[in-house]
Amino acid sequence: MKEFFNQLYIRRILRYALYLFLSLMVQNMLFTQIRPLGVCPMVLPAVCVATGMFLEPTWSVVFTLFLGLFADMAFVENTMLFTLLFPALAFFSGFACQFFVNRRFFAFMGLAAAAALITALVQMLATLVNDVWSLEMLRTVLLQTLWSVPVSIFAYFPPAHWIE
C-alpha cells in the first residue's frame, strides 16, 4: 500500500514539474513575441498562484523557487528578482487559500491579478535603482498587469483538475 501512495505522489510531483517547465517555455517563447503597445504579458505570477493554491505549502515554495531560478536565467535584466518573488507569491496565495478565500476560479483570478501587479511593481522598483522614476514606468506596470490578467486563465485549469 505504501508503494501505491508513493507512486501517486511521484506522479503529482512530475505533473507539476512538467506544468512549470511548459509555463516557462510558453512565457519565454510565445509571450515575449506578443507585445501590444510594447509590453509583454506575464503568465508566471499566475502559475505561482496556481501552484500555491493547489499544492502543499512546502512543495509549492520549492517548485516556484526553481521556476524563479530558471526565469531569472531566461530574463536578461534580472539577477535574483524572480527567485525571491515567486516563492513568496506561491506562499502567500497558499496562505490566502488556507484561511481567507476558496480555490475557485474567481478567487484565483483575483489573486493572479494581484500577483501580476506585484510582479510588475517589483520589476519597476528593481529598475529604479539605476534609473529615474517616470510616468512611462507606471504605464508599463499597468499595461503589463492588464495584459497578464487574460493569459492567467490558462494557468488555472491544469492544477485545478489534478486535485485528488
Side-chain angles (χ1 to χ4, degrees), residues 76-88:
V76 180
E77 67 275 359
N78 298 329
T79 53
M80 291 284 291
L81 178 75
F82 294 139
T83 305
L84 299 174
L85 180 64
F86 286 171

Side-chain angles (χ1 to χ4, degrees), residues 120-137:
L121 286 171
V122 169
Q123 284 177 308
M124 182 187 77
L125 292 175
T127 60
L128 281 179
V129 174
N130 301 325
D131 296 331
V132 180
W133 186 85
S134 69
L135 285 176
E136 186 65 28
M137 294 174 106

Side-chain angles (χ1 to χ4, degrees), residues 48 51-53 55-65 87 90-91:
C48 294
T51 304
M53 284 178 79
L55 197 60
E56 293 87 13
T58 305
W59 282 107
S60 68
V61 169
V62 169
F63 275 123
T64 54
L65 177 70
F91 174 78

Side-chain angles (χ1 to χ4, degrees), residues 30-114:
L30 179 65
F31 290 139
T32 55
Q33 305 304 316
I34 301 171
R35 294 180 178 269
L37 299 177
V39 180
C40 295
M42 186 96 169
V43 73
L44 296 180
V47 169
C48 294
V49 168
T51 304
M53 284 178 79
F54 296 111
L55 197 60
E56 293 87 13
T58 305
W59 282 107
S60 68
V61 169
V62 169
F63 275 123
T64 54
L65 177 70
F66 282 110
L67 179 67
L69 280 170
F70 287 111
D72 279 331
M73 284 190 267
F75 289 88
V76 180
E77 67 275 359
N78 298 329
T79 53
M80 291 284 291
L81 178 75
F82 294 139
T83 305
L84 299 174
L85 180 64
F86 286 171
L89 291 175
F91 174 78
F92 286 115
S93 66
F95 181 80
C97 286
Q98 192 76 19
F99 296 107
F100 302 113
V101 297
N102 57 19
R103 289 177 169 84
R104 304 268 188 223
F105 181 72
F106 186 71
F108 167 77
M109 288 305 292
L111 289 173

Side-chain angles (χ1 to χ4, degrees), residues 141-152:
V141 166
L142 295 175
L143 284 175
Q144 180 176 328
T145 304
L146 184 66
W147 302 156
S148 299
V149 171
V151 299
S152 299

